[in-house]
Amino acid sequence: MAVVREQKEFSMDNEVISASEDEEGSDDERKHNKLLQAISSLGGKRRKNQTERSEASLQVSEFLVNAEGAGDKIALSDLLGTVEKTPGASKKTKKQLRNLQNRNETLQLPLNKEQTEKIQRGIAYEKSTQEVSRWQGIIVQNQKAEQLVFPLNQESSRPKPVEQIVAGWKAETPLEQEIFKLLNNNSQPIHDPVLTPIEEASLKAMSLEEANMRRAELQKARALQSYYEAKAKREKRIKSKKYHKIQKKAKRKEFVKQFEEMMKTDPTGALEELKKMEMSRMEERMSLKHQNSGKWAKSKAIMAKYDDSARKAMQEQLQVNKDLTQKMVTISDDEHETQEEESEAVPDFVNDVEPIVDAVNPWMRNRIPREEPEVICVTTEQPQTVEEEEEEEEEKNEEEELLADFQRKRALRQADEDDDLVPVPPAEEEIDNTGEVAREEVVGEDVVNISDSDDDNDDDEEDVSQFNTLFRLMSSEKAREAPAQTQEGREDEEQLLDEGHVRVRTVEDLEALGEAEEPQPSASANTSTPQTATSEPPAKKSKEIDLNAVLTKEAKAIKVPLMPAVVEDDEERDEQISIIKEAFAGDDVISDFLKDKRKQEEAGRPKVVDLTLPGWGEWGGVGLVPSRKKRKRFRIKMAPPPPRQDKKLPDVIISEKRSASVAAHQVCQLPFPFQNPKQFESCIRTPVGQTWNTQSTVRKMTTPKVVTTMGAIIEPLVREDYIKDKSSIPASKAPAIFLEDKSKGKDGKRMSKDKHKGKESKKRRKI
Amino acid sequence: MAAPVADTAKSAHVEKKNKKKPVKRYWEVTEETGQKRQDQDNPDQTTSTKDTRPLKIKKTGQSQSWKNDPFPGEAPIPQKQLQKFQRGAKHKVPAGAHGKLKEAIVWSKTVSELAQKQAARYDLLLPEDAGFLEGDDDEDTCRISQEDIADAVDITSGSKYFNLHLTQFGPYRVDYSRTGRHLLLGGRRGHVACIDWQTKNLTCEMSVMETVNDVKWLHTEAMFAVAQKKWLYIYDSKGTELHCVKKFNDVLKMQFLPYHFLLATASATGFLQYLDVSVGKEIAAICTKMGRLDVMSQNPYNAVIHLGHPNGTVSLWSPNQKEPLIKMLCHRGAVRSLTVDKTGTYMVTSGLDRKLKVYDIRAFKPLHSYFLPAGASCLSLSQKGLLSASTGDVVQVYQNVWGGNPVSKPYMAHRVRGQVWGVAYCPFEDVLGIGHGQGFTSMIIPGAGEPNFDALDTNPYRSAKQRQEWEVKALLEKVQPELISLDPTQLSKVDQGSFEQRHKERVEVLGYDPLAKEKFKPRTKKKGRSSAGAIEKRKRKVAHEDQRDVIRQTVEERMEKEKQQKEKSSESKELSKKSALDRFRKQGK
């Protein structure tokens, strides 16, 4: 029967199965016998009963021999009886057998085949993973290696260090041999180590006293440990609840004491403890323990009406709950109080920045006089706690007010600053230089600018509004007469817009080219005469492009020692004249360019998609326009494109088209280990080719990951070479559970080979 | 011929006028780094240590010998040189990087550092320095005549100043081959000549009997292109006509992009065309819509073509885009000439408004603007950044045009016999070639050419065999025209365009949409089942099925949305329903 139990663990035994089968078989046999008997009783021809031997005869048939009680079953007790009598059997076995006899339990059924196999598989899997995972290290190492040269572990052809060669050297001449013999006999070091083995041993050895001391220490420790263990065991066995209760209480008290101490010495540890306590508190709050909701509590609740003690018990329970769920209030409480006191002593606002700004409002300057009476009146009327809250609220309100005030002031200050910082357009500077333009006009111009930008996109509008406010703040006085002028300016401008471009370049301008310092046409345009101002509109329409910013670079004259000879050639001169004519045939180059730029910008801007269908939801027909509401609803605004690259370059148009031709060759998906494009780009920043690198660098960069020597046999890795774990060796010697006999032979062979290799490797290591 | 030889010779002959700095030795540079080497104090010692060092190594295999080494470890590399070979910015290993990423980054870092160090170390092999002209205390360098210089320098260098009197065939265009050995002259009235200008050997000479607008060497000195009155012709070095490219008409200016094997031409009809010389195919023909294109230059850094226009703008083009990459307004009048420096950082333009402007074309901002009394018709930049500008029959050379201080006077000046028509610097030589109405003048400009050449790229001394091998290699390393863009490093960046964008481009390239759903085409069936009505019915069926699918999907989506909304609203309801008395409710229930 014990065998059957074993089957769970080891189950390769076929015997077990057969045994159980036998049992079943015997059962069947019995039935079979019964059946046979029944049949024989039915049949007319009776079987001859095997007779017992009654008389002596010469020939005794072996089949006719019958023992006593041959037909009976054998019980365990029958067998055990003999054991009792045999003198050799040990008492222990006898006792075990007796126990076995007394036991009446039936044995559990053996597990079915599938389950046993499953368990086997599980075990086998674990074993094999363990086996395989031993290779992990070497595999990772090989994967990481810059280069692997197969077959591995080749002896390098490089020159060896001297020590290695000396180590491999053998004494040959008799003199040498004699010397080595001497050295060996006296166990003197031959190679590297300077100390003899004896010396080393003596170095390692301990003195006697030390050893004794150590032994005594160990003994004592062991004894103490055993005492402690015994004590713990005994205490654990005590069943008294009261005892445990007391114990717990004592422990808690001690803990609190310790904790207090800890607060002083080790604040971080204390904090951790505190956290633990908090945790336990949370647990207590979560659980229904001590809530008087258990069975016991309910029974007590019934009794409570009549029984004082029951009531007390319940009270106690609730008290416990209260204690446990109470928030930890330790020294920090005291600290709080002191802090509060301090804060009372020195009010917060002392540290605040002195609000200087409100010179007008003297009440804002110091809060104390207003605050104190309020507090007093509150204290007279209401209890302490409420008062505190009130105070806080009051303070908050005050603070908010203050904050708002600050913000207002900041805004004001900013506005002031911005007033100073308002970028004076370059045109103005120039105008100032010329000193011919009235102030009012400048103001008017600014306003015009603003009104212009109002028409522009929404996102621009924000800036503009800000600018507007600033502007208003700045020139509230100056611009009092401005509105009328601005109106005028706007009208003017609209007219100009309608007019389109007007030729600026005139003969005078051409002449002016000759001068060293060329007066900017824009500067002249800004002078008060309305005709020259015509060149302004294109510059104004788009805010970022300023006509004045285009081609502003001042030319520096260069003196040339040799003046070119006047070319007499008629043809040449004619050609030059024609070239000049061609060059100035068109009109203003700058405004043309700006127009071109604006066109490009417009083309790049996504258009508003209008999806209104006339006649849907309302009347349609000739002369009927879909309502504004509808149009608004079905108009889809696209997101504005990212800012153009040439936004800040007035005289440059940069194409925003994506170059698809290069994109076709670019990497479009990040390769595996990289997390962002930057990493990848930095990794491929150095070119590999010979054109950009020195020879040695190229060689290093293009080293193959794997090199195989031609004609060499690449053998699989050998375990002994790479896995140093000694425990693995016996494991490999014992056959795995499911290895069959056939494979054993092979395995054995391999083992021998392995051993051989192992020896080799050991040799190598020695060297 | 090499600059070094010439320069040393010059210093020997001319005491003050044509001074040359002493050649910098490596120990001078190392002194700056503040490393341990104290060679500067006693240069004798350095030589001695240099000699003894290998000996020491031989003598002793012991470790002790290294302790005595006065210069342990590798020789230090000056920071300046290292900076020169810095490629991109390093990327630090992020804090939470997993193993593979860390490995990759660390590996790339080590490799690029190694590459940088090695390159900086090999910089030692470029010892030559450019010379320059220095006048006396009150002498202007621009007043020194070419004859004086030629007399003062050694014979070989002096022979670099010469005149060719070619009065018959009108003003000449000039082009030097990439190695600087060969010179191509194209006379306006049809005279074309190739000369090995140092030996003055005439390789070929012919008259094409037509107007010649421009001449250009192709990748080697074995072939050149001539833009004639009507078509573009390609000749070999013996003057045999190889091709007449009739796709390219009325060409006025040409540029050859050596690494792309592209010949870019600008025509009178306003077309910018690209011819792939290696396969003989027209890569792109762009209608610029800017009128006559007679001002052209290339940016050697990114192979972008710069065109100057009569309306004062300069436009930048790549063969991949039908519109200009950049268009910038440079002059008030027409642009007469423009040129770009070797590093692709600066562009110099001159216009009819008689101004000379220097632009930083990385930021597209003007750096300096000069006013020339007579304007400049031809501009050219040398490898070392000397600018030559011709006004009428005077050629001026300027130094440091994009330096911090604006230039006030030319570095050198020279008057030629006729109107200047073409100006070109000879690569790797201190020579400026001027084509003018009366022939050709070769002028000595000290400090114009790059003294150190890369023999693997352009070797002035290469033999025929080497040239052939170089040609094969260059063809193998040819850069595809698709890669021409403003930023040549764009290829090494990750494309961050969206999927839709990429799909659109793909459709454009393929000519069809690979992801498009196929339209249903009913099969023809027999026995009268393929009547028009039946087919229509079948079509309808499929269409309905598709529609149903769509509807089903939308309904599902809507349902899901509603469900989510419901959940949300119920949640909010629950929250709102909570009454004040709820707090007294027992928690367990």
Side-chain angles (χ1 to χ4, degrees):
Chain A
M1 298 303 146
V3 181
V4 178
R5 203 169 298 150
E6 268 178 23
Q7 187 193 23
K8 266 188 212 164
E9 295 147 21
F10 261 93
S11 54
M12 284 321 288
D13 278 355
N14 286 332
E15 282 183 6
V16 179
I17 299 160
S18 65
S20 62
E21 272 175 357
D22 271 5
E23 234 176 17
E24 282 173 27
S26 66
D27 207 41
D28 280 355
E29 232 167 85
R30 210 179 56 227
K31 281 179 184 171
H32 186 68
N33 278 340
K34 261 187 183 173
L35 188 73
L36 282 182
Q37 277 176 7
I39 289 166
S40 62
S41 67
L42 283 175
K45 213 179 188 182
R46 267 188 198 175
R47 247 194 193 177
K48 215 177 180 184
N49 239 347
Q50 287 178 345
T51 53
E52 288 179 14
R53 194 166 53 148
S54 54
E55 56 185 291
S57 69
L58 200 68
Q59 281 187 336
V60 183
S61 164
E62 47 190 354
F63 299 110
L64 295 178
V65 175
N66 245 347
E68 196 183 349
D72 299 341
K73 262 184 141 186
I74 297 169
L76 189 61
S77 54
D78 297 340
L79 295 172
L80 291 186
T82 55
V83 173
E84 293 279 322
K85 283 161 200 163
T86 45
S90 67
K91 269 187 183 175
K92 209 178 176 185
T93 45
K94 278 177 194 169
K95 202 178 176 186
Q96 276 178 345
L97 285 170
R98 232 174 283 139
N99 277 342
L100 206 67
Q101 207 176 353
N102 291 340
R103 210 154 55 179
N104 289 326
E105 293 168 17
T106 49
L107 284 172
Q108 283 177 340
L109 270 178
L111 284 173
N112 58 4
K113 202 177 161 194
E114 282 76 28
Q115 264 172 325
T116 50
E117 275 180 353
K118 195 176 170 186
I119 290 160
Q120 282 170 25
R121 265 184 273 131
I123 292 162
Y125 171 75
E126 256 169 41
K127 254 196 170 171
S128 49
T129 42
Q130 215 180 5
E131 187 71 21
V132 169
S133 63
R134 284 207 190 99
W135 291 94
Q136 196 66 34
I138 180 67
I139 286 170
V140 167
Q141 192 189 322
N142 279 359
Q143 278 172 348
K144 279 187 178 174
E146 267 174 35
Q147 192 179 41
L148 282 178
V149 182
F150 287 110
L152 291 167
N153 288 333
Q154 261 183 326
E155 301 234 339
S156 65
S157 57
R158 273 185 239 156
K160 287 176 199 163
V162 183
E163 289 81 14
Q164 276 189 21
I165 297 165
V166 170
W169 176 71
K170 264 186 184 175
E172 279 168 359
T173 58
L175 178 64
E176 283 168 355
Q177 279 169 352
E178 212 147 296
I179 290 169
F180 271 88
K181 212 189 224 170
L182 258 175
L183 283 174
N184 280 332
N185 285 346
N186 294 327
S187 64
Q188 290 298 318
I190 299 165
H191 301 312
D192 209 20
V194 188
L195 299 174
T196 56
I198 300 162
E199 281 169 341
E200 268 180 49
S202 69
L203 265 180
K204 275 181 191 169
M206 258 189 284
S207 70
L208 186 66
E209 286 170 30
E210 234 177 302
N212 272 341
M213 254 163 72
R214 187 158 168 68
R215 186 159 155 267
E217 261 173 33
L218 284 174
Q219 259 178 343
K220 199 182 176 187
R222 235 174 282 138
L224 279 176
Q225 196 182 355
S226 68
Y227 295 154
Y228 184 76
E229 272 170 8
K231 195 186 171 193
K233 222 179 233 175
R234 203 186 62 234
E235 277 178 357
K236 202 184 167 195
R237 246 190 252 157
I238 295 171
K239 281 179 183 169
S240 159
K241 279 188 179 170
K242 200 171 183 183
Y243 169 80
H244 278 293
K245 216 184 267 174
I246 292 164
Q247 200 84 346
K248 250 187 212 169
K249 230 174 223 173
K251 257 186 198 170
R252 208 185 301 161
K253 261 181 195 170
E254 199 158 318
F255 173 72
V256 169
K257 230 183 233 170
Q258 263 184 2
F259 182 72
E260 269 166 19
E261 235 165 72
M262 226 178 183
M263 293 275 267
K264 282 161 200 161
T265 54
D266 182 15
T268 52
L271 208 71
E272 255 169 48
E273 286 296 313
L274 206 68
K275 263 183 199 163
K276 262 187 214 164
M277 276 147 102
E278 187 66 19
M279 199 64 200
S280 72
R281 190 183 140 252
M282 266 152 70
E283 270 166 12
E284 176 63 25
R285 285 186 68 192
M286 277 197 295
S287 75
L288 289 175
K289 235 178 180 182
H290 310 121
Q291 299 254 33
N292 280 353
S293 57
K295 215 191 257 176
W296 173 85
K298 273 173 192 164
S299 71
K300 283 282 167 189
I302 295 164
M303 297 284 288
K305 229 178 193 178
Y306 315 103
D307 196 353
D308 245 11
S309 66
R311 213 177 303 156
K312 222 177 218 171
M314 280 183 71
Q315 292 286 330
E316 238 165 60
Q317 275 269 315
L318 285 175
Q319 189 59 41
V320 165
N321 183 32
K322 218 176 200 177
D323 285 347
L324 285 174
T325 54
Q326 212 169 26
K327 230 176 190 179
M328 275 303 295
V329 205
T330 47
I331 311 156
S332 58
D333 211 317
D334 297 0
E335 279 177 357
H336 244 317
E337 281 173 13
T338 52
Q339 268 184 357
E340 274 177 8
E341 279 168 14
E342 274 174 12
S343 66
E344 275 172 14
V346 185
D348 267 355
F349 56 80
V350 171
N351 294 327
D352 282 352
V353 185
E354 242 269 273
I356 326 145
V357 208
D358 258 5
V360 191
N361 191 355
W363 285 278
M364 280 308 291
R365 193 162 264 190
N366 45 357
R367 297 182 308 174
I368 306 159
R370 200 175 64 177
E371 197 178 59
E372 275 177 351
E374 273 181 16
V375 171
I376 290 161
C377 74
V378 165
T379 43
T380 49
E381 285 169 16
Q382 274 157 344
Q384 191 70 28
T385 50
V386 182
E387 174 213 324
E388 272 176 15
E389 277 175 19
E390 281 286 316
E391 203 173 38
E392 270 180 16
E393 254 180 32
E394 278 294 322
E395 267 184 6
K396 259 185 196 167
N397 284 343
E398 295 260 336
E399 273 171 6
E400 274 168 13
E401 269 182 20
L402 258 184
L403 275 176
D405 219 43
F406 270 128
Q407 215 149 19
R408 230 175 299 140
K409 271 175 251 151
R410 210 176 300 135
L412 265 173
R413 208 177 308 139
Q414 221 165 24
D416 281 351
E417 275 173 12
D418 282 3
D419 278 358
D420 298 339
L421 287 178
V422 162
V424 185
E428 277 181 44
E429 281 180 63
E430 281 179 10
I431 289 156
D432 281 354
N433 288 340
T434 51
E436 287 180 5
V437 183
R439 253 284 176 57
E440 294 164 1
E441 261 205 27
V442 176
V443 172
E445 201 180 277
D446 273 352
V447 173
V448 168
N449 258 337
I450 292 154
S451 63
D452 266 357
S453 44
D454 267 346
D455 296 339
D456 271 349
N457 277 351
D458 288 0
D459 46 348
D460 286 353
E461 243 162 37
E462 288 175 10
D463 301 347
V464 171
S465 65
Q466 208 176 5
F467 184 72
N468 253 335
T469 53
L470 298 182
F471 178 72
R472 239 170 262 144
L473 284 166
M474 172 187 71
S475 59
S476 54
E477 292 165 4
K478 288 184 211 164
R480 212 150 275 169
E481 332 102 347
Q485 280 189 352
T486 52
Q487 204 66 22
E488 276 176 21
R490 207 174 296 166
E491 279 169 15
D492 262 2
E493 210 227 337
E494 274 167 6
Q495 276 176 5
L496 297 179
L497 282 175
D498 289 341
E499 268 180 14
H501 67 80
V502 173
R503 186 181 295 190
V504 183
R505 288 223 166 265
T506 53
V507 186
E508 289 94 4
D509 275 6
L510 241 180
E511 279 175 4
L513 268 175
E515 293 167 22
E517 271 197 38
E518 203 180 14
Q520 303 287 335
S522 48
S524 66
N526 270 340
T527 50
S528 51
T529 52
Q531 280 179 340
T532 43
T534 45
S535 71
E536 260 179 299
K540 274 191 178 172
K541 191 156 187 193
S542 63
K543 221 177 39 172
E544 63 265 11
I545 293 178
D546 192 2
L547 180 58
N548 306 319
V550 181
L551 295 182
T552 45
K553 201 83 187 169
E554 285 219 351
K556 192 176 185 271
I558 293 177
K559 283 169 200 156
V560 181
L562 307 168
M563 281 309 286
V566 179
V567 184
E568 297 298 331
D569 200 350
D570 276 6
E571 198 187 75
E572 213 81 69
R573 206 173 53 199
D574 284 351
E575 203 179 72
Q576 269 204 332
I577 288 167
S578 73
I579 287 171
I580 290 171
K581 268 187 185 168
E582 187 192 65
F584 297 107
D587 29 39
D588 188 10
V589 182
I590 296 170
S591 64
D592 274 358
F593 185 82
L594 292 182
K595 231 181 274 167
D596 194 8
K597 176 159 185 171
R598 210 168 312 119
K599 213 189 278 172
Q600 288 253 348
E601 272 169 18
E602 235 123 77
R605 223 171 273 150
K607 275 152 199 133
V608 174
V609 180
D610 196 359
L611 294 174
T612 37
L613 287 173
W616 281 86
E618 60 194 3
W619 288 106
V622 182
L624 283 175
V625 185
S627 66
R628 221 176 123 207
K629 197 175 146 198
K630 193 179 167 190
R631 264 184 297 162
K632 203 174 172 188
R633 204 184 146 195
F634 285 101
R635 192 183 291 174
I636 298 165
K637 253 190 189 174
M638 293 307 196
R644 281 180 70 90
Q645 281 174 292
D646 53 12
K647 199 180 160 195
K648 284 175 182 168
L649 299 166
D651 46 2
V652 178
I653 302 172
I654 298 175
S655 161
E656 294 280 315
K657 254 192 190 168
R658 210 169 95 90
S659 66
S661 57
V662 182
H665 299 276
Q666 267 175 301
V667 175
C668 57
Q669 271 183 331
L670 265 186
F672 156 59
F674 301 104
Q675 289 163 335
N676 56 31
K678 250 193 187 164
Q679 287 169 0
F680 178 63
E681 279 158 19
S682 81
C683 277
I684 59 168
R685 71 181 196 271
T686 310
V688 180
Q690 282 187 331
T691 319
W692 302 275
N693 288 310
T694 59
Q695 196 65 42
S696 58
T697 319
V698 173
R699 224 177 293 135
K700 161 110 187 180
M701 281 168 139
T702 56
T703 41
K705 191 103 176 140
V706 172
V707 173
T708 53
T709 46
M710 219 196 282
I713 299 165
I714 301 169
E715 306 237 10
L717 291 180
V718 182
R719 181 205 305 268
E720 275 74 13
D721 280 0
Y722 299 102
I723 298 168
K724 267 142 205 168
D725 192 3
K726 275 176 191 170
S727 63
S728 69
I729 295 165
S732 70
K733 267 179 186 169
I737 349 163
F738 34 68
L739 273 183
E740 257 137 68
D741 286 353
K742 274 180 206 167
S743 66
K744 245 177 201 170
K746 265 189 201 168
D747 205 50
K749 229 184 201 172
R750 201 186 291 160
M751 291 319 300
S752 66
K753 212 174 174 182
D754 282 3
K755 268 183 207 163
H756 183 63
K757 282 264 167 80
K759 262 182 200 166
E760 267 186 2
S761 65
K762 268 173 205 164
K763 237 188 235 166
R764 261 206 298 284
R765 247 173 251 146
K766 247 187 204 168
I767 287 163
Chain B
M1 155 197 305
V5 178
D7 286 339
T8 46
K10 268 179 228 160
S11 65
H13 284 263
V14 191
E15 273 117 18
K16 276 201 169 173
K17 281 178 191 167
N18 198 358
K19 239 184 204 170
K20 188 184 171 297
K21 266 190 194 169
V23 177
K24 256 190 188 173
R25 298 297 177 194
Y26 67 92
W27 59 76
E28 288 175 351
V29 187
T30 48
E31 189 237 13
E32 288 172 15
T33 59
Q35 295 283 349
K36 281 180 188 173
R37 302 204 157 197
Q38 320 97 328
D39 314 7
Q40 199 60 19
D41 305 346
N42 38 3
D44 297 347
Q45 199 194 334
T46 53
T47 51
S48 67
T49 49
K50 222 180 158 191
D51 290 339
T52 52
R53 206 167 164 189
L55 265 181
K56 262 184 191 169
I57 297 163
K58 266 183 215 165
K59 246 197 303 191
T60 52
Q62 306 155 11
S63 58
Q64 274 197 342
S65 66
W66 294 105
K67 279 177 190 167
N68 301 334
D69 187 4
F71 309 114
E74 290 180 318
I77 306 164
Q79 199 60 39
K80 219 175 172 183
Q81 273 177 29
L82 273 181
Q83 203 91 48
K84 196 170 145 194
F85 295 97
Q86 173 88 36
R87 272 182 208 280
K90 278 178 213 163
H91 197 276
K92 270 184 191 168
V93 183
H98 51 85
K100 287 237 162 129
L101 175 62
K102 215 189 265 174
E103 238 175 83
I105 291 175
V106 166
W107 163 251
S108 85
K109 202 174 132 196
T110 50
V111 158
S112 48
E113 255 165 29
L114 176 77
Q116 185 188 353
K117 252 189 206 170
Q118 291 280 347
R121 238 180 243 295
Y122 277 47
D123 211 20
L124 201 87
L125 301 178
L126 311 174
E128 302 305 337
D129 246 337
F132 58 92
L133 197 65
E134 197 177 328
D136 282 331
D137 291 339
D138 49 352
E139 195 181 18
D140 244 351
T141 48
C142 58
R143 294 205 182 274
I144 300 169
S145 70
Q146 283 292 311
E147 282 82 7
D148 287 349
I149 295 175
D151 286 342
V153 296
D154 59 319
I155 300 171
T156 38
S157 300
S159 70
K160 285 173 190 172
Y161 168 67
F162 62 90
N163 282 300
L164 300 177
H165 297 283
L166 306 162
T167 50
Q168 271 185 16
F169 295 100
Y172 279 85
R173 292 254 192 234
V174 181
D175 189 39
Y176 284 101
S177 66
R178 278 192 76 219
T179 54
R181 289 289 299 218
H182 297 264
L183 171 69
L184 185 60
L185 292 173
R188 186 88 198 279
R189 298 189 179 91
H191 178 217
V192 176
C194 310
I195 309 161
D196 184 350
W197 67 272
Q198 281 168 346
T199 58
K200 315 279 190 305
N201 275 343
L202 191 66
T203 326
C204 87
E205 187 177 26
M206 61 179 167
S207 178
V208 295
M209 312 293 280
E210 244 183 343
T211 318
V212 169
N213 286 323
D214 201 5
V215 285
K216 208 88 205 168
W217 284 112
L218 298 189
H219 55 284
T220 59
E221 48 269 19
M223 274 196 284
F224 59 88
V226 180
Q228 295 179 19
K229 189 183 175 192
K230 195 73 183 156
W231 315 121
L232 173 73
Y233 288 81
I234 290 173
Y235 299 92
D236 77 350
S237 58
K238 291 198 178 96
T240 330
E241 182 186 316
L242 297 178
H243 301 287
C244 167
V245 192
K246 292 207 173 170
K247 265 193 173 175
F248 291 65
N249 58 327
D250 302 315
V251 174
L252 293 180
K253 277 274 190 179
M254 294 189 288
Q255 283 292 335
F256 184 70
L257 308 174
Y259 297 105
H260 301 77
F261 285 85
L262 287 182
L263 183 70
T265 64
S267 70
T269 53
F271 270 87
L272 172 66
Q273 284 166 297
Y274 287 85
L275 176 72
D276 192 329
V277 171
S278 61
V279 290
K281 218 170 74 178
E282 188 191 40
I283 294 298
I286 304 163
C287 180
T288 58
K289 298 172 196 161
M290 302 266 213
R292 193 180 152 86
L293 304 173
D294 55 353
V295 181
M296 187 188 203
S297 174
Q298 65 162 303
N299 186 342
Y301 172 64
N302 52 16
V304 164
I305 294 291
H306 294 226
L307 294 176
H309 305 290
N311 61 358
T313 56
V314 169
S315 54
L316 276 63
W317 299 84
S318 89
N320 307 310
Q321 204 165 315
K322 295 288 175 198
E323 63 177 32
L325 302 170
I326 309 286
K327 206 168 145 189
M328 50 200 297
L329 184 63
C330 294
H331 291 277
R332 283 176 190 283
V335 179
R336 285 179 82 184
S337 179
L338 70 96
T339 177
V340 183
D341 91 306
K342 199 178 71 174
T343 60
T345 316
Y346 305 104
M347 175 175 77
V348 183
T349 63
S350 72
L352 269 184
D353 56 358
R354 300 192 227 173
K355 274 185 188 159
L356 184 82
K357 291 193 175 180
V358 183
Y359 278 89
D360 184 344
I361 40 172
R362 292 171 302 183
F364 311 110
K365 276 179 180 160
L367 288 177
H368 295 294
S369 175
Y370 304 110
F371 185 80
L372 284 176
S377 61
C378 294
L379 294 177
S380 178
L381 274 169
S382 83
Q383 285 172 325
K384 276 289 172 188
L386 296 187
L387 173 75
S388 73
S390 64
T391 58
D393 58 349
V394 176
V395 176
Q396 302 143 32
V397 178
Y398 296 95
Q399 221 174 7
N400 261 334
V401 265
W402 47 73
N405 301 324
V407 179
S408 59
K409 59 175 187 180
Y411 167 59
M412 287 179 82
H414 184 62
R415 185 189 296 257
V416 292
R417 287 207 179 81
Q419 182 82 13
V420 175
W421 194 248
V423 176
Y425 278 99
C426 180
F428 309 112
E429 291 288 349
D430 291 345
V431 163
L432 173 69
I434 305 157
H436 48 80
Q438 300 294 313
F440 171 80
T441 302
S442 172
M443 192 178 151
I444 299 174
I445 314 272
E450 172 70 47
N452 301 303
F453 57 85
D454 180 358
L456 290 175
D457 184 31
T458 44
N459 185 359
Y461 307 107
R462 70 187 174 192
S463 60
K465 196 80 195 158
Q466 278 173 325
R467 195 193 69 209
Q468 286 164 5
E469 268 172 26
W470 169 86
E471 200 173 349
V472 172
K473 265 182 201 157
L475 278 168
L476 287 174
E477 284 181 355
K478 181 191 151 191
V479 184
Q480 288 304 317
E482 290 97 71
L483 301 180
I484 297 178
S485 66
L486 264 187
D487 181 12
T489 61
Q490 200 188 344
L491 191 63
S492 63
K493 281 172 186 154
V494 177
D495 181 23
Q496 280 167 328
S498 63
F499 174 77
E500 288 88 28
Q501 229 166 357
R502 258 181 278 140
H503 180 67
K504 222 161 93 189
E505 278 158 19
R506 202 169 154 218
V507 169
E508 243 167 59
V509 169
L510 291 175
Y512 68 94
D513 189 355
L515 301 181
K517 216 180 163 192
E518 243 177 77
K519 210 185 163 192
F520 174 67
K521 221 183 206 174
R523 252 191 302 172
T524 46
K525 287 186 176 176
K526 298 272 169 65
K527 296 180 185 169
R529 284 186 296 168
S530 244
S531 67
I535 283 177
E536 197 53 37
K537 218 182 249 169
R538 256 186 284 158
K539 272 189 193 169
R540 202 64 75 65
K541 223 193 237 167
V542 172
H544 279 160
E545 200 55 45
D546 289 350
Q547 200 179 5
R548 229 170 275 159
D549 279 344
V550 171
I551 290 170
R552 209 172 292 141
Q553 214 172 345
T554 50
V555 165
E556 266 172 25
E557 274 171 17
R558 204 192 301 148
M559 295 273 272
E560 213 155 85
K561 224 186 231 172
E562 272 172 18
K563 210 175 171 188
Q564 280 179 355
Q565 269 183 351
K566 228 180 222 172
E567 272 175 21
K568 242 185 203 173
S569 64
S570 66
E571 267 178 29
S572 61
K573 253 183 203 171
E574 270 177 23
L575 282 176
S576 64
K577 258 185 188 174
K578 230 176 190 180
S579 70
L581 295 174
D582 273 348
R583 75 183 73 158
F584 299 113
R585 203 173 270 168
K586 217 165 193 188
Q587 283 178 351
K589 282 164 193 176

